[in-house]
Amino acid sequence: MKPWLNKGAREISLADATDYERQVEARDDIGDNAQDGTTANATSDGHTLAGLSCTKYGGPTDEVAKEMVYWSDITSDSQFVSPFKKEGEGETKYMTFEPDGGGWNNIRMAMETVVALAHATGRTLVMPPEQRMYLLGKGKKEHKKHFGFGDFYHLESLSDEHKGLDIISMEEFLKREAMSGNLRNRTSGIVTFPPGNRTNWDGESNNEITKLKDYTT
């Protein structure tokens, strides 16, 4: 079993990753740096990427951890604009979606896929309203029960930093398109408005959210 593989598929030995004495010697300095943000990497455009240090938890040193890459920041991606993207009044295309019904990792991966699809197809991504998510919000009564992706991601920064990616809330979408009479029934062609002419659906029950889903699909 290979405990760690680097981005070039060169095996990192278990001894390299768990050399306790070496970890202890570097732990305090690296751990402190990670806490104050000095281990973060700055990209060419000045955007700071969060760092990750496992040393203080007995994991590999920062040097070894550099070989374990989950993703890398490709500066040119921020300038990508889909050839399918249309701008101008009445030209904007949208993509709506529903959060995955599984646990958080399923929810996260589905959302990341949708972001990539919206970027590639040049559509403005409409985020679903805050709602209950499976296995989240099971704490005490005073804890938050309804969640939106903005609780976990810096969506505004993501949109600002990518020239070809636009992200808006469901409320903004409904105000911009639905309440302006731009949405029509696919069968009859009649202009339709959101249930109850509502635009803010954050924190509603699953039954209420279903009404919105039926309207937007």
Side-chain angles (χ1 to χ4, degrees), residues 28-155:
D28 292 337
D29 290 340
I30 296 177
D32 290 341
N33 287 339
Q35 290 179 0
D36 64 19
T38 56
T39 59
N41 300 314
T43 61
S44 58
D45 61 3
H47 176 62
T48 300
L49 301 176
L52 175 65
S53 178
C54 301
T55 305
K56 66 178 181 178
Y57 302 108
T61 64
D62 283 8
E63 189 63 31
V64 173
K66 288 180 181 178
E67 302 294 331
M68 298 182 288
V69 179
Y70 171 65
W71 65 281
S72 60
D73 189 63
I74 303 174
T75 305
S76 59
D77 281 359
S78 65
Q79 299 302 312
F80 172 78
V81 178
S82 170
F84 304 108
K85 185 177 179 62
K86 296 182 179 180
E87 297 180 313
E89 188 175 353
E91 294 293 328
T92 303
K93 303 297 183 182
Y94 298 91
M95 180 178 290
T96 63
F97 74 103
E98 303 172 15
D100 188 272
W104 169 246
N105 268 331
N106 285 8
I107 295 171
R108 173 187 60 78
M109 288 188 291
M111 180 267 186
E112 291 173 353
T113 300
V114 172
V115 170
L117 283 172
H119 198 188
T121 58
R123 291 175 176 265
T124 295
L125 182 60
V126 181
M127 305 306 295
E130 292 186 5
Q131 55 194 279
R132 283 187 173 272
M133 293 184 179
Y134 181 59
L135 296 181
L136 298 181
K138 287 184 172 295
K140 297 180 180 179
K141 292 182 178 180
E142 63 270 21
H143 291 173
K144 187 177 177 70
K145 301 294 184 184
H146 298 84
F147 298 90
F149 287 102
D151 292 315
F152 308 99
Y153 295 91
H154 296 291
L155 298 175

